Amino acid sequence: MKKPAKPGPPGKIKIMTAFSLLMETKDFQSITTAEIAGNAGVTEGLIYKYFTDKKDLLHQVLHQHFAAFQAGIETGIQEKQTCIGKLEAIILASLDSYARNRVLARILLLEVRNSLSYYESGAYAMVKTYARTILDIIREGMETGELRPDMDPFLLQKVILGAIEHTCLKQVIFDKKMDVAAAAGGIVDIIFNGVKHHGCH
Amino acid sequence: MKKPAKPGPPGKIKIMTAFSLLMETKDFQSITTAEIAGNAGVTEGLIYKYFTDKKDLLHQVLHQHFAAFQAGIETGIQEKQTCIGKLEAIILASLDSYARNRVLARILLLEVRNSLSYYESGAYAMVKTYARTILDIIREGMETGELRPDMDPFLLQKVILGAIEHTCLKQVIFDKKMDVAAAAGGIVDIIFNGVKHHGCH
DNA sequence: AACCAAAGGTGAGTAAAACTTACTTACAAA
DNA sequence: TTTGTAAGTAAGTTTTACTCACCTTTGGTT
């Protein structure tokens, strides 16, 4: 588990912002350390003063972006009273964050998951906390009777996370725009009300 | 768009199987061309006779695995009459395939998505067909009245795909086992019936 | 003010791995 | 037999992530 990446010395900041900028147009693999250093206005060697790895740099940049992401989520659900309201808020806020911050989305959904070291990084720890928040809300909802008590909360958590991520995927990969509000509303409707058509009302 | 990878000459087959075997224990990045060639019993140069890239090799191996995957799906839904039944079958078969074939799952869910070339590969074309199958079933269900007509079929498609993928993710990454039948049943229940608790029945 | 340790930063160098290229061998058709 | 093509080899080359020994600046202590 790496350290949470404090703001740090100017060189480190320059490296991280340069890398983050490059990630807007290129994928991780095709960004070279020389390119990063060049754009940051530092030498290649400095990268390895602050980051153990090229991947560590990726993880720390993700950590930074995700911190803002999670802050946005938490303020979004504070005012909501019902569990369903909270989950709606999380889904909307998540989609919105991914849509607004393509770099965050690209790193998180496409770039980090393949390497084992990510799962030992501080960034992943934050993601786990985020996922845990959703799980806790679900459990609470099942206890209060807002949500059906006869289901696996883990599974609902996965369905929600999967729905959020897969909804963004195409937009992230092909750089398209998306109607965040409509998507969020649709997902909420599908998951909460179900898609089976029946006369019951 | 690369060619669909015919069986091909012995050297090509040896390379693909050696690589596929290596993918069971290591991630793409840490597998070297020397290692592949060594395990295949050929020279490194031969890889580049049949594959433009190391990534092209990855894509062609994925293509091969996915062909079997899709064949399994199609036979699984043939007998089903209702759209819901078909979707259930697809969800179950998908989870089952991923659980049975870790290499397929790892490549598809973790390794290929970061590179642009994947989206021009034959493997991705197959994935699109698979996704399209789901979409078609949804549309049919909305027309026949099995599924609610007041929703975005694309969104339901994404929710289903996301649910399937995210359910497998942890198991694939950390090599855990999962109760496929239970997971499939749970997902189906959540998506079709919804998770909101209400007295209506 | 003088000092010094530590942090910030440099630049040349290394090793490894992906990819190239010029070449050889098998082999079927004309 | 000749010939043309596909299969395969072996020895490079280049790129790129990473290292290491060395400067430079800074700030706290005596």
Side-chain angles (χ1 to χ4, degrees), chain A residues 4-89:
Chain A
K6 300 172 187 176
K12 182 172 185 179
I13 294 169
K14 281 193 281 183
I15 290 166
M16 287 179 81
T17 52
F19 174 73
S20 196
L21 224 71
L22 283 166
M23 279 296 295
E24 279 175 13
T25 52
K26 308 178 74 172
D27 58 308
F28 181 66
Q29 261 307 313
S30 46
I31 296 172
T32 68
T33 51
E35 211 175 352
I36 298 165
N39 280 37
V42 299
T43 57
E44 230 175 313
L46 192 62
I47 295 173
Y48 296 90
K49 273 274 151 59
Y50 300 116
F51 309 97
T52 62
D53 241 25
K54 204 181 137 193
K55 267 181 184 160
D56 183 38
L57 169 56
L58 179 71
H59 297 158
Q60 290 205 33
V61 167
L62 170 61
H63 186 107
Q64 203 174 54
H65 283 270
F66 200 85
F69 169 78
Q70 203 174 31
I73 300 277
E74 267 161 34
T75 60
I77 60 168
Q78 264 172 354
E79 67 224 31
K80 305 290 174 186
Q81 296 302 327
T82 65
C83 291
I84 291 179
K86 284 177 191 168
L87 289 174
E88 279 177 0

Side-chain angles (χ1 to χ4, degrees), chain A residues 27 29 55 84 110-111 113-114 119 124 145-151 155-156 158-159 161-163 165-167 169-171 173-174 182-183 186-187 189-197 200-201, chain B residues 27 29 55 84 110-111 113-115 119 124 145-149 151 155-156 158-159 161-163 165-167 169-171 173-174 182-183 186-187 189-197 200-201:
Chain A
D27 58 308
Q29 261 307 313
K55 267 181 184 160
I84 291 179
L110 307 176
E111 301 284 4
R113 295 186 176 174
N114 51 31
Y119 300 98
Y124 181 65
E146 269 188 85
L147 300 177
R148 287 168 47 195
D150 63 327
M151 53 174 192
L155 216 47
L156 176 55
K158 282 168 191 157
V159 171
L161 286 172
E165 290 178 6
H166 212 92
T167 304
L169 218 53
K170 284 271 165 59
Q171 343 282 325
I173 295 160
F174 301 111
I187 291 172
D189 181 41
I190 287 172
I191 294 177
F192 288 91
N193 299 319
V195 298
K196 210 181 275 178
H197 193 209
C200 167
H201 41 62
Chain B
D27 56 309
Q29 262 306 314
K55 268 182 185 159
I84 290 178
L110 307 176
E111 301 285 5
R113 294 187 177 175
N114 50 31
S115 70
Y119 301 97
Y124 181 64
E146 267 188 88
L147 301 176
R148 287 167 49 196
M151 52 173 194
L155 218 46
L156 176 55
K158 283 168 191 158
V159 171
L161 286 172
E165 289 179 5
H166 213 92
T167 302
L169 217 53
K170 284 272 165 58
Q171 343 282 327
I173 294 162
F174 301 111
I187 291 172
D189 181 40
I190 288 172
I191 293 177
F192 288 90
N193 299 320
V195 298
K196 208 181 276 178
H197 194 208
C200 166
H201 40 67

